[in-house]
């Protein structure tokens, strides 16, 4: 048998081949990530009077006093350091777990010395900045390879995107990251130290885990937003809405709150509407706002107007999409970082049933909690007292952190990029109810052109079986549809169009003489 | 006892018949027998499985529980023989299935033209799931593929192989792509786009024979001009013909396809046919019989037939012609009739974007200016609106002034309607048409 003669593909000979550049980009990205993870081991911890003083303002002076016996101690392991710190703090019997966590975080962070502290800027460049540059180098050349158009080639053969080994590992990594971020931030103080120079520069404050997270989140949306610009460069709808989510993340979620903090004002993400913003009506927030003069009052009024007026009115005119795939931070991440995973959403009827039960339960939970918060605030704590605090705790733990964070993002590579938005977000539930019953939005089906191919359903991140409607010539109006427009983009026959129009006949099966 | 309807073939035609019968009659026993796949899938989606856009299960329009829930029985087997006298079918495993009503919906088969070497390993067509599996095997270690025959399946096969970085040569007999259907401007636009993708498009080139290598697999093709093109895959896509293997010698009348009248009835009582496999006899003397080998016509056959089977004998009327396809990155839609060669008494307005990836054609009667057909490349148009314009016999002037109403592109897309209108004004001195309806954010916001 003669070996099969293989000609080197001269295919795409008109298009440049950037494989080398892209591989190097990927290499740099992975290197940056490696440095980032490596930084976790780049400190030792020395408790000094200065390090204790630095934690003042975060922890009460009396508690700091408890640590005096440790001054002069040097630990090479953060675990040993944390153990000692905790043992000493426990001498105050009144300390609760939450306070303990905060104290451990700041005490350890301020005690860190060594390579990382000495070269923070350099290591920031070598980790986060390098990964960003690498990511861009990997992504950008794709705009010169091949022609614009939908290119979903090989997605289901790809280990990352088709729930293969890499996908599962990636999911695990993301889940682990969120668990540390929410519940054990003191184990990852070194990551947060990396963000110190940036935090000092923007906010004039040392970085906490939320600043670090916000920075990472924003950079991710920008880099993966660039990927969206490249991938969907033939579709202006996607270009515009991607620019929009980048703008709202960078401006509203990241810069404005940071600058407010710099100016010592109460901080607020002005686009984060209740009940997604579940802490808005918590007493501490209301107290802060009410004691912060005009700005505070403005924030209070705006938060209420946003939830009660802007959200329903905008949804009436444009559908849920104005928020979920144009403005929202969770949506912003889902539409950028999450785009490669959209096909993993479950399209079955069963999933739809579970979705409706879950999301509306969370909504009920949120409404009950908020009612308690408000009643409690107005009655000065006399009505529900401690229960409110308990319920807040539960909500923050189960919904705010576990669902929105760990599952919401950690499950991207496992169940698609909208797990939170689809099954958990109470704001999405409200937007969905408006969209379904009182809105001008619909996805129009173009007569009889559908070939039932299934691209629309496959790439619907909300798990909507778009084809079910399209092949019957029926318009698609589903509470969960976030109007990402990808179903319309991937349809090879031009069957779907997102439209706002008169409400009458919105649900109509298109007159079609089939 | 309720009657037993048996449908052979679980393609769009057979399945639509079954679904609509069930909608209209909850009693009738319905069985579908088909070999290729256990469940109904979308044949036009085959390419996306190979390209990794979808998995096989994603191409199934209904979840697997759907059939049992709607009491549509599925048998995954080949029907070997139809015994019309005893109203019974013989399956491959020797079992028999009795029917009261029979629908033949056996689809098509790929054409071949008896080329020497067409049965060599590495040579194949593209019609079935099994063809996709075969292509998967053939694509391993392939450096170049030669596709013989243009058309819609040829271009899909090319796109599939392109996604695996296999170099492609397409041989077409014509001197522009699909120009037996497309007018020459469009055929050239498509040809340019094919070449833009790095595909080697050989116009006016005929296949002479397919050559085997020492390993017995295809090694090269030889054209009629004597050129040898080395390749490891040969895709034969010169069209399809009705699959009538089963029906022949069963007493059911056939010609090229299963012969039916406008009610989709065959010559035998209680035996009907639908979809790709039918040949609809001419209604009038002098007309030609029709083949309709499309997804939506298969669906329409099924819908009409379900009425007839459930007691409301209904004539099949296709209505105004339309179709759509995609040539690599360029979508194509057509409504009404656009002839590939100018027909006497017709004028056509053709506009093409300088970049060469968008164009529009509006064909109208020279005397009355009544519009008879549209075709669009790279712009989406609204089926309902185009169909209404055609039905209402609107003039080209009316259509142009209202063109924006028909635009179906996503929001924020560049709109070309005013350029199309200007083109008309330029070609028709004296005409000074203005676009009255744009598709616009504001128009739709307040509509
Ligand atoms: C690659 C490709 C792309 C296409 N793209 C488009 C498109 O974009 N738009 C469009 O309009 N059309 C398209 N078509 C055409 C369209 O798919 C067909 O018109 C349609 O599928 C025909 O449906 P049908 O139900 O008549 O037959 P089929 O879908 O062929 O179904 C018939 C079934 O019957 C089975 N069968 C046959 N004989 C027997 C037997 N003796 N026993 C048991 N089972 C049997 C066959 O195995 C087959 O599964 C495409 C076709 C192909 C091949
Ligand atoms: S139906 Fe379409 S627009 Fe709506 S969420 Fe799904 S893919 Fe996006
Ligand atoms: S992608 Fe388009 S053609 Fe395919 S099933 Fe969906 S609407 Fe129909």
């Amino acid at each position: 048998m003669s070996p099969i003669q293989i000609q080197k593909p001269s295919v795409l000979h008109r298009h440049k081949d950037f494989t080398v550049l892209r591989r190097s980009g990927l290499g740099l990205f992975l290197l940056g990530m490696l440095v980032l993870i490596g930084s976790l081991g780049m400190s030792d911890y020395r408790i000094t009077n200065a390090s204790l003083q630095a934690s003042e303002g975060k922890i009460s002076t009396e508690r700091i006093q408890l640590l005096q016996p440790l001054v002069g101690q040097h630990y090479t392991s953060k675990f040993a350091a944390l153990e000692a710190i905790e043992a000493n703090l426990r001498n105050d019997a009144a300390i609760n777990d939450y306070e303990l966590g905060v104290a451990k975080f700041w005490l350890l962070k301020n005690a860190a010395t060594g390579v990382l502290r000495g070269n923070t800027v350099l290591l920031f460049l070598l980790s986060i900045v390098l990964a960003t540059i690498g990511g861009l180098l990997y992504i950008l050349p794709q705009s010169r390879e091949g022609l614009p158009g939908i290119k979903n080639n090989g997605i289901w053969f790809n280990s990352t995107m088709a729930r293969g080994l890499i996908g599962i590992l990636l999911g695990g990594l993301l889940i682990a990251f969120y668990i540390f971020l929410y519940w054990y931030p003191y184990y990852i103080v070194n990551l947060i130290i990396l963000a110190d120079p940036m935090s000092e520069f923007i906010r004039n404050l040392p970085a906490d885990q939320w600043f670090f997270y916000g920075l990472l989140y924003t950079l991710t949306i920008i880099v993966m937003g660039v990927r969206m610009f490249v991938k969907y460069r033939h579709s202006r709808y996607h270009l515009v809405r991607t620019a929009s989510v980048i703008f709202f993340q960078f401006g509203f979620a990241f810069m404005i709150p940071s600058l407010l903090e710099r100016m010592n004002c109460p901080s607020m993400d002005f686009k984060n509407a209740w009940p997604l913003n579940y802490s808005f009506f918590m007493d501490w927030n209301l107290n802060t706002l009410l004691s912060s003069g005009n700005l505070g009052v403005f924030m209070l009024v705006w938060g209420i107007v946003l939830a009660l007026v802007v959200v329903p009115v905008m949804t009436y005119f444009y559908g849920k999409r104005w928020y979920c795939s144009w403005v929202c931070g969770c949506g912003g991440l889902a539409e950028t970082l999450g785009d490669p995973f959209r096909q993993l959403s479950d399209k079955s009827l069963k999933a739809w049933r579970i979705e409706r039960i879950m999301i509306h339960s969370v909504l009920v939970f949120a409404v009950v909690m908020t009612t308690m918060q408000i009643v409690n605030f107005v009655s000065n704590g006399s009505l529900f007292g401690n229960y409110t605090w308990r319920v807040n705790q539960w909500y923050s733990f189960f919904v705010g952190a576990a669902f929105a964070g760990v599952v919401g993002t950690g499950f991207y590579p496992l169940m698609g990029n909208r797990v939170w938005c689809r099954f958990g977000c109470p704001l999405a539930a409200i937007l969905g109810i408006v969209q379904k019953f009182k809105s001008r939005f619909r996805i129009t089906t173009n007569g009889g052109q559908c070939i039932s191919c299934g691209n629309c359903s496959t790439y619907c991140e909300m798990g909507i079986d778009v084809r079910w409607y399209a092949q019957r010539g029926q318009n698609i109006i589903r509470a969960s549809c976030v109007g990402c427009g990808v179903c319309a983009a991937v349809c090879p026959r031009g069957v779907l169009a997102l439209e706002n129009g008169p409400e009458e006949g919105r649900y109509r099966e298109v007159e079609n003489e089939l | 006892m309720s009657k037993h309807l048996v449908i052979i073939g679980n393609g769009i035609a057979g399945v639509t018949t079954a679904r609509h019968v069930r909608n209209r009659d909850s009693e009738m026993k319905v069985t579908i027998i088909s070999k290729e796949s256990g469940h109904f899938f979308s044949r036009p989606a085959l390419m996306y499985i190979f390209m990794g856009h979808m998995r096989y299960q994603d191409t199934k329009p209904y979840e697997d529980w759907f059939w049992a829930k709607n009491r549509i029985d599925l048998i995954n087997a080949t029907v070997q023989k139809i015994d019309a006298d005893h109203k019974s079918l013989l399956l491959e495993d020797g079992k028999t299935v009795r029917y009261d009503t029979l629908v033949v919906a056996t689809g098509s088969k790929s054409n071949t033209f008896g080329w020497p070497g067409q049965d060599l390993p590495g040579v194949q067509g593209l019609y079935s799931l099994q063809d996709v599996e075969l292509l998967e095997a053939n694509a391993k270690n392939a450096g170049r593929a030669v596709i013989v025959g243009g058309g819609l399946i040829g271009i899909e096969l090319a796109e599939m192989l392109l996604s695996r970085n296999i170099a492609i040569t397409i041989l077409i007999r014509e001197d522009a792509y699909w120009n037996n259907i497309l007018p020459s401007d469009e055929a050239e636009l498509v040809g340019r786009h094919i070449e833009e993708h790095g595909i080697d498009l050989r116009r006016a080139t005929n296949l002479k024979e397919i050559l085997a290598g020492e390993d017995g697999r295809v090694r090269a093709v030889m054209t009629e001009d004597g050129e040898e093109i080395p390749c490891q895959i040969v895709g034969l896509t010169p069209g399809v013909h009705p699959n009538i293997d089963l029906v022949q010698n069963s007493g059911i009348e056939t010609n090229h396809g299963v012969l039916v009248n406008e009610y989709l009835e065959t010559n035998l009582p209680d035996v009907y046919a639908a979809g790709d496999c039918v040949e609809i006899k001419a209604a009038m003397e002098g007309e030609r019989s029709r083949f309709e080998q499309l997804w939506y016509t298969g669906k329409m056959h099924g819908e009409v037939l379900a009425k007839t089977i459930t007691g409301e004998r209904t004539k099949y009327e296709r209505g105004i012609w339309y179709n759509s396809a995609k040539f690599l990155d360029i979508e194509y839609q057509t409504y009404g009739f656009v002839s590939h060669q100018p027909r006497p008494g017709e004028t056509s307005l053709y506009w093409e974007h300088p970049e060469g990836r968008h164009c529009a054609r509006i064909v109208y009667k020279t005397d009355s200016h009544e519009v008879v057909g549209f075709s669009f490349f790279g712009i989406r148009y609204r089926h309902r609106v185009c169909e209404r314009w055609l039905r209402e016999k609107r003039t080209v002037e009316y259509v142009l002034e209202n063109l924006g109403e028909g635009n179906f592109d996503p929001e924020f897309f560049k709109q070309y309607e005013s350029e199309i209108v200007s083109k008309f004004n330029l070609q028709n001195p004296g005409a000074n048409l203005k676009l009255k309806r744009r598709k616009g954010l504001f128009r739709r916001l307040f509509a």
Side-chain angles (χ1 to χ4, degrees):
Chain A
M1 250 181 51
S2 73
I4 297 173
Q5 172 206 353
I6 302 198
Q7 289 180 300
K8 264 283 138 227
S10 66
V11 66
L12 299 182
H13 60 88
R14 298 219 177 161
H15 306 293
K16 304 196 182 76
D17 181 4
F18 290 100
T19 319
V20 178
L21 190 60
R22 294 192 56 198
R23 291 230 171 108
S24 341
L26 192 60
L28 292 182
F29 172 79
L30 291 174
L31 198 67
M33 282 299 174
L34 216 62
V35 174
L36 190 68
I37 293 173
S39 75
L40 287 171
M42 287 185 198
S43 292
D44 38 6
Y45 308 89
R46 191 182 295 282
I47 297 180
T48 61
N49 278 320
S51 89
L52 292 182
Q53 263 160 34
S55 302
E56 255 167 60
K58 310 285 179 192
I59 315 161
S60 68
T61 328
E62 299 82 68
R63 283 186 182 151
I64 290 185
Q65 284 307 317
L66 295 174
L67 292 153
Q68 275 303 329
L70 295 184
V71 168
Q73 292 285 3
H74 178 239
Y75 304 89
T76 45
S77 140
K78 64 176 72 123
F79 301 101
L82 284 168
E83 208 173 308
I85 291 172
E86 180 168 347
N88 281 274
L89 285 168
R90 286 273 182 211
N91 289 331
D92 176 357
I95 196 163
N96 66 33
D97 283 351
Y98 174 74
E99 293 162 341
L100 189 67
V102 174
K104 279 160 80 177
F105 176 80
W106 287 107
L107 290 167
L108 188 73
K109 181 168 178 249
N110 291 328
T113 62
V115 186
L116 181 56
R117 275 290 188 207
N119 305 283
T120 317
V121 172
L122 180 66
L123 285 165
F124 177 71
L125 292 175
L126 286 177
S127 58
I128 295 177
V129 174
L130 192 67
T132 306
I133 295 172
L136 290 173
L137 274 182
Y138 178 70
I139 290 162
L140 279 170
Q142 286 179 61
S143 64
R144 297 263 170 272
E145 286 177 347
L147 295 164
I150 287 294
K151 302 277 149 50
N152 286 330
N153 296 344
I155 284 188
W156 284 106
F157 311 139
N158 181 294
S159 178
T160 316
M161 294 186 281
R163 226 180 277 135
L165 188 63
I166 301 182
I168 291 170
L169 289 176
L170 187 66
L173 205 67
L174 282 168
I175 291 170
F177 171 71
Y178 274 92
I179 290 177
F180 282 117
L181 181 73
Y182 281 113
W183 295 298
Y184 308 104
Y186 37 84
Y187 289 127
I188 54 170
V189 285
N190 288 349
L191 298 184
I192 287 129
I193 289 171
L194 283 172
D196 265 338
M198 193 59 112
S199 179
E200 293 287 357
F201 177 68
I202 298 178
R203 307 193 302 167
N204 208 6
L205 291 169
D208 55 9
Q209 75 267 39
W210 303 120
F211 179 83
F212 170 78
Y213 181 49
L215 179 70
L216 208 63
Y217 202 100
T218 308
L219 279 174
T220 307
I221 288 190
I222 293 172
V223 172
M224 291 303 278
V226 169
R227 175 186 168 279
M228 291 295 283
F229 289 143
V230 171
K231 172 161 187 191
Y232 295 99
R233 61 190 181 278
H234 62 292
S235 170
R236 280 217 199 154
Y237 182 76
H238 293 293
L239 300 182
V240 178
R241 84 183 167 91
T242 304
S244 170
V245 294
I246 293 178
F247 169 78
F248 279 102
Q249 174 60 33
F250 180 73
F252 279 65
F254 184 67
M255 283 315 280
I256 294 178
S258 296
L259 294 176
L260 285 169
E261 282 176 304
R262 185 188 183 97
M263 296 184 296
N264 234 329
C265 299
S267 162
M268 182 177 181
D269 176 350
F270 286 96
K271 62 158 177 49
N272 194 10
W274 176 88
L276 176 59
N277 180 359
Y278 59 90
S279 53
F280 187 75
F281 291 105
M282 285 186 183
D283 50 0
W284 59 263
N285 190 47
L286 294 180
N287 284 327
T288 316
L289 295 184
L290 287 175
S291 61
S292 304
N294 285 341
L295 181 64
V297 173
F298 169 75
M299 287 174 170
L300 185 65
V301 172
W302 168 249
I304 295 170
V305 169
L306 177 64
L308 297 184
V309 182
V310 179
V311 161
V313 169
M314 290 290 281
T315 309
Y316 170 72
F317 281 107
Y318 303 107
K320 194 173 175 174
R321 54 181 171 154
W322 80 270
Y323 196 81
C324 296
S325 57
W326 286 71
V327 172
C328 181
C330 306
L333 193 70
E335 294 298 339
T336 50
L337 177 66
D339 181 72
F341 306 107
R342 49 174 55 252
Q343 63 284 352
L344 300 175
S345 62
D346 189 336
K347 317 303 186 301
S348 68
L349 202 62
K350 202 168 122 203
W352 184 17
R353 285 207 194 101
I354 297 173
E355 161 194 320
R356 280 176 297 181
I357 295 171
M358 287 186 70
I359 193 168
H360 294 121
S361 310
V362 175
L363 176 61
V364 170
F365 189 3
V367 169
V368 169
M369 175 183 73
T370 305
T371 314
M372 287 177 74
Q373 286 164 357
I374 294 173
V375 169
N376 215 36
F377 185 77
V378 174
S379 71
N380 241 328
S382 64
L383 222 49
F384 295 118
N386 247 333
Y387 283 112
T388 313
W389 191 77
R390 235 343 121 60
V391 173
N392 286 350
Q393 285 276 299
W394 287 338
Y395 192 93
S396 310
F397 180 87
F398 287 109
V399 181
F403 206 156
V406 179
V407 176
T409 309
F411 277 36
Y412 275 12
L414 309 175
M415 286 175 66
N417 52 335
R418 287 277 192 176
V419 178
W420 159 248
C421 315
R422 182 181 176 193
F423 295 96
C425 176
L427 177 58
I430 296 178
L431 291 158
I433 293 169
V434 179
Q435 169 156 290
K436 182 128 183 101
F437 297 108
K438 193 72 196 159
S439 169
R440 293 160 57 88
F441 174 73
R442 86 292 312 272
I443 302 178
T444 309
T445 294
N446 200 11
Q449 294 284 24
C450 176
I451 51 170
S452 297
C453 67
N455 275 297
C456 52
S457 299
T458 304
Y459 289 94
C460 175
E461 56 193 356
M462 297 306 284
I464 299 172
D465 191 356
V466 184
R467 164 174 55 192
W468 172 268
Y469 306 87
Q471 66 193 358
R472 308 164 69 196
Q474 192 180 357
N475 288 351
I476 298 123
I477 303 173
R478 277 277 292 268
S480 63
C481 170
V482 291
C484 64
V486 169
C487 54
V490 298
C491 174
R493 294 294 178 272
V495 177
L496 306 163
L498 281 60
E499 295 188 303
N500 313 309
E503 267 182 273
E504 310 83 71
R506 188 167 70 114
Y507 275 93
R508 177 201 53 213
E509 311 225 352
V510 173
E511 57 167 284
N512 115 26
E513 290 92 46
L514 294 187
Chain B
M1 241 192 70
S2 56
K3 289 201 163 181
H4 189 193
L5 164 67
V6 176
I7 298 166
I8 308 175
N10 69 355
I12 181 70
V15 156
T16 308
T17 312
R19 279 180 42 241
H20 283 255
V21 164
R22 177 53 77 233
N23 274 341
R24 300 168 58 87
D25 181 338
S26 57
E27 294 296 304
M28 197 180 291
K29 182 172 159 57
V30 179
T31 304
I32 305 180
I33 309 176
S34 201
K35 178 62 187 170
E36 178 184 356
S37 61
H39 296 96
F40 170 49
F41 71 96
S42 169
R43 193 172 300 291
L46 280 178
M47 63 184 291
Y48 301 110
I49 301 177
F50 184 82
M51 286 162 55
H53 294 207
M54 285 189 275
R55 298 159 300 174
Y56 162 65
Q57 61 260 43
D58 303 319
T59 66
K60 292 194 273 190
Y62 303 95
E63 286 183 65
D64 291 352
W65 50 258
F66 176 89
W67 309 102
K69 180 169 176 260
N70 290 291
R71 285 172 295 116
I72 295 171
D73 297 334
L74 304 178
I75 300 177
N76 189 199
T78 305
V79 179
Q80 234 144 33
K81 201 167 165 303
I82 302 174
D83 181 352
D85 295 337
H86 299 97
K87 290 198 157 184
S88 133
L89 306 174
L90 175 67
L91 305 191
E92 58 188 342
D93 55 6
K95 292 204 185 104
T96 57
V97 176
R98 290 190 38 82
Y99 64 83
D100 299 299
T101 310
L102 180 69
V103 173
V104 178
T106 48
S108 307
K109 290 172 80 171
S110 303
N111 288 340
T112 47
F113 288 118
W115 287 297
Q118 70 181 20
D119 297 320
L120 287 173
V123 183
Q124 68 167 112
L126 175 66
Y127 190 79
S128 65
L129 267 173
Q130 288 72 28
D131 289 338
V132 173
E133 280 162 27
L134 183 61
L135 190 64
E136 194 67 56
N138 284 335
K140 292 217 168 66
N141 304 323
R144 177 173 291 275
V146 173
I147 294 169
V148 184
L152 295 178
I153 299 185
I155 193 71
E156 289 189 1
L157 186 56
E159 191 177 348
M160 289 158 79
L161 293 167
L162 207 56
S163 77
R164 302 285 179 95
N165 268 339
I166 292 171
I168 294 157
T169 300
I170 304 181
L171 310 185
I172 55 173
R173 271 194 276 192
E174 301 77 26
D175 44 23
Y177 201 87
W178 214 36
N179 73 355
N180 49 344
I181 304 285
L182 298 177
S184 59
D185 294 309
E186 285 92 325
E188 268 154 35
L189 180 144
V190 172
R192 282 198 310 269
H193 182 60
I194 289 173
E195 290 179 327
E196 187 176 31
H197 271 273
I199 295 171
D200 168 29
L201 178 63
R202 303 286 180 92
R203 299 169 176 84
T205 308
N206 285 312
L207 175 66
K208 183 159 167 247
E209 72 173 301
I210 303 168
L211 308 170
E214 283 165 32
D215 58 356
R217 292 183 64 85
V218 54
R219 163 179 72 79
V221 300
M222 173 83 84
T223 68
E224 277 184 357
D225 309 330
E227 188 187 352
E228 206 179 289
I229 307 172
C231 59
Q232 295 75 41
I233 301 178
V234 176
L236 300 179
T237 58
V240 296
H241 62 273
N243 175 7
I244 53 171
D245 298 359
L246 172 67
V247 178
Q248 272 164 334
N249 312 319
S250 66
I252 301 170
E253 209 177 31
T254 58
N255 179 32
H256 293 293
V258 183
L259 279 172
V260 295
N261 60 17
E262 301 152 283
Y263 294 89
L264 304 175
E265 296 160 336
T266 66
N267 59 317
L268 299 180
D270 300 323
V271 180
Y272 307 86
D276 273 25
C277 66
V278 304
E279 176 172 352
I280 304 175
K281 285 185 280 195
M284 275 178 294
E285 205 65 40
E287 276 184 16
R288 283 201 294 174
S289 61
R290 287 196 337 248
F291 299 90
E292 293 184 334
Q293 295 172 317
L294 288 173
W295 188 258
Y296 82 84
T297 50
K299 193 148 124 185
M300 287 164 79
H301 291 178
E303 287 168 4
V304 166
L305 191 51
K307 286 191 184 166
T308 302
I309 291 173
T310 51
E312 184 188 335
R313 189 162 179 260
T314 308
K315 206 183 212 175
Y316 169 68
E317 275 155 327
R318 193 189 57 213
I320 291 170
W321 169 258
Y322 64 92
N323 197 13
S324 58
K326 195 172 178 189
F327 299 92
L328 302 163
D329 298 314
I330 301 183
E331 287 173 21
Y332 159 63
Q333 296 184 332
T334 180
Y335 301 100
F337 192 72
V338 175
S339 164
H340 67 291
Q341 272 166 348
R343 291 196 299 183
E346 282 180 2
T347 308
S348 84
L349 168 66
Y350 179 74
W351 167 87
E352 187 176 305
H353 189 268
E355 201 185 51
R357 291 194 202 123
H358 309 270
C359 71
R361 182 182 295 275
I362 305 179
V363 183
Y364 55 97
K365 292 189 177 155
T366 313
D367 49 7
S368 64
H369 283 203
E370 173 194 331
V371 170
V372 297
F374 301 88
S375 72
F376 303 95
F377 285 74
I379 317 175
R380 294 175 173 179
Y381 258 70
R382 232 174 259 269
H383 186 179
R384 205 154 41 90
V385 172
C386 293
E387 197 177 68
R388 171 157 45 81
W389 285 334
L390 291 165
R391 202 173 50 229
E392 292 173 352
K393 303 192 188 308
R394 294 295 184 175
T395 61
V396 65
E397 287 83 1
Y398 175 91
V399 165
L400 283 171
E401 286 183 337
N402 293 283
L403 204 54
E405 194 188 347
N407 186 304
F408 200 68
D409 266 342
E411 292 144 307
F412 304 111
F413 270 44
K414 189 160 166 30
Q415 294 172 40
Y416 302 107
E417 279 73 22
S418 55
E419 292 171 38
I420 300 173
V421 173
S422 308
K423 178 79 191 251
F424 181 83
N425 287 338
L426 202 72
Q427 275 182 358
N428 295 272
N432 192 10
L433 296 182
K434 292 236 157 44
L435 185 65
K436 286 193 206 145
R437 287 193 72 164
R438 270 176 67 78
K439 187 188 100 149
L441 271 182
F442 287 104
R443 192 188 73 67
R444 279 197 288 138
L445 186 61
F446 301 113

